[in-house]
Amino acid sequence: MTQASMTLSSAPAAVAPSVASEPQYVETVIRPRRGWIGVDWAELIKHRELLFFLIWRDVKVKYKQAVFGSAWAIVVPLVSVIIYSVVGHFAGFSKQKIAGMESVPYPVYIYAALLPWLFLQGAINGGGMSLVNNQPLLSKIYLPRLFIPTANIGSALVDMFFSSLIFGLMIVFYVIKTGGAFTPSWNVVYLPLLFVLLLVAALGTAYFLSALTVMFRDLRFIIPFITQLGIWLTAVVYPQTIFIQGGRDFRPWLALNPFAGIVQSFRWAITGEPLQVMQLISSIVMCSVLLIVGLFYFKRVERRFADIA
């Protein structure tokens, strides 16, 4: 073997340049499905960060370029309580509270019912119009459509949080002012359970009305009227004792209103007003059915949203 061949054979083998591995992409194919399409809970959990982003977007858009900003979440319920308290004083509502409730300040009595009602009002107004107001999201990109009305409920929760802080300060003020004659009822321990019921009612209402508004645009004009009428039909700004006339008690008829039991139960939990059990049971049953029907109808017509939104 020659020296040249030995030199060549002893030379180390050339190392091939490493080629960077190409990124692996996951292809998602979306195909239409026939029949009933159930709620894909796994998809909702997987994209939960998108829901938080939509909630934050709704909160920012609501108060963007507003002079008082998020302070409106405090001003609106506070001014509403003042107005309804003055009206209730001159209308005689403040004197028609149930016996034993004389120590409860009328503004606290009103605020206890107004707090859940303002949240429900946001579900009716904002939730009902959520799909129509987010038409580009429906027609240009894919996302879990349930997130759109749910995000509106999330932004309403932020408002309720600030309103609750003001309500807490109001209660402390009246406890000090009355020298302890008024104190919140021990029934406040049930507020978390009532809040769950309130959330069920809000979500069911938002799902049902949002899908219904896409299909029937006339609801855009009816929904504001529903909230204006509902505040009186739900006995928010006056005591239910006005329904006791001539020795006859008409309060059981309020059980036909799914929200009346929720509002009255919040007032019971905070002020100690006697609980209307029939109204509460009716609210639990009707709001649970409303959530199921709202989800069913929403998923039933969801495939048509992009075409008619």
Side-chain angles (χ1 to χ4, degrees), residues 28-69:
T28 301
V29 180
I30 302 175
R31 296 189 180 95
R33 290 185 290 176
R34 297 181 180 274
W36 163 247
I37 301 177
V39 179
D40 191 346
W41 300 107
E43 181 187 42
L44 298 180
I45 296 174
K46 180 181 178 181
H47 296 91
R48 59 187 179 276
E49 292 183 359
L50 175 60
L51 175 61
F52 298 145
F53 171 79
L54 291 174
I55 294 174
W56 179 240
R57 184 207 60 164
D58 285 354
V59 172
K60 290 175 63 177
V61 169
K62 183 186 299 185
Y63 301 113
K64 186 178 181 180
Q65 296 181 346
V67 176
F68 294 102

Side-chain angles (χ1 to χ4, degrees), residues 37-299:
I37 301 177
V39 179
D40 191 346
W41 300 107
E43 181 187 42
L44 298 180
I45 296 174
K46 180 181 178 181
H47 296 91
R48 59 187 179 276
E49 292 183 359
L50 175 60
L51 175 61
F52 298 145
F53 171 79
L54 291 174
I55 294 174
W56 179 240
R57 184 207 60 164
D58 285 354
V59 172
K60 290 175 63 177
V61 169
K62 183 186 299 185
Y63 301 113
K64 186 178 181 180
Q65 296 181 346
V67 176
F68 294 102
S70 58
W72 283 112
I74 299 173
V75 173
V76 170
L78 195 58
V79 172
S80 299
V81 167
I82 294 174
I83 293 175
Y84 289 126
S85 297
V86 172
V87 172
H89 175 75
F90 287 101
F93 294 154
S94 59
K95 299 179 181 179
Q96 297 188 23
K97 292 183 294 186
I98 295 177
M101 300 287 296
E102 293 82 6
S103 62
V104 179
Y106 194 64
V108 174
Y109 188 82
I110 293 296
Y111 211 144
L114 195 63
L115 188 66
W117 173 254
L118 289 177
F119 182 74
L120 290 171
Q121 181 176 278
I124 297 173
N125 287 336
M129 295 296 298
S130 58
L131 293 178
V132 175
N133 293 337
N134 289 275
Q135 181 180 355
L137 291 179
L138 298 177
S139 57
K140 294 184 179 180
I141 63 174
Y142 174 78
L143 76 161
R145 307 293 171 76
L146 278 172
F147 279 175
I148 298 178
T150 304
N152 183 270
I153 301 301
S155 64
L157 280 174
V158 176
D159 292 345
M160 186 177 184
F161 172 75
F162 288 111
S163 301
S164 300
L165 292 180
I166 297 302
F167 189 32
L169 293 176
M170 177 185 289
I171 290 177
V172 172
F173 169 78
Y174 278 107
V175 168
I176 297 174
K177 181 180 179 180
T178 60
F182 161 71
T183 54
S185 169
W186 64 269
N187 298 328
V188 292
V189 298
Y190 294 103
L191 278 180
L193 296 178
L194 293 176
F195 176 76
V196 172
L197 178 59
L198 178 66
L199 198 60
V200 168
L203 289 173
T205 303
Y207 293 153
F208 185 68
L209 286 182
S210 61
L212 205 62
T213 305
V214 173
M215 307 299 295
F216 307 99
R217 296 302 177 88
D218 290 346
L219 283 175
R220 292 180 298 174
F221 309 102
I222 300 177
I223 286 177
F225 176 73
I226 292 175
T227 55
Q228 292 176 5
L229 187 63
I231 195 171
W232 299 103
L233 295 180
T234 313
V236 176
V237 296
Y238 55 84
Q240 291 190 5
T241 50
I242 68 171
F243 292 102
I244 303 176
Q245 299 291 334
R248 301 181 61 184
D249 191 349
F250 296 96
R251 286 178 295 178
W253 287 99
L254 288 174
L256 298 176
N257 183 342
F259 303 144
I262 300 176
V263 169
Q264 198 278 330
S265 297
F266 265 80
R267 186 172 276 164
W268 160 76
I270 296 171
T271 66
E273 182 183 56
L275 179 65
Q276 299 297 317
V277 179
M278 183 182 297
Q279 294 180 23
L280 178 58
I281 295 175
S282 175
S283 293
I284 294 174
V285 174
M286 295 178 70
C287 290
S288 299
V289 172
L290 179 61
L291 178 60
I292 296 172
V293 172
L295 280 171
F296 177 84
Y297 183 73
F298 191 97
K299 299 301 293 186

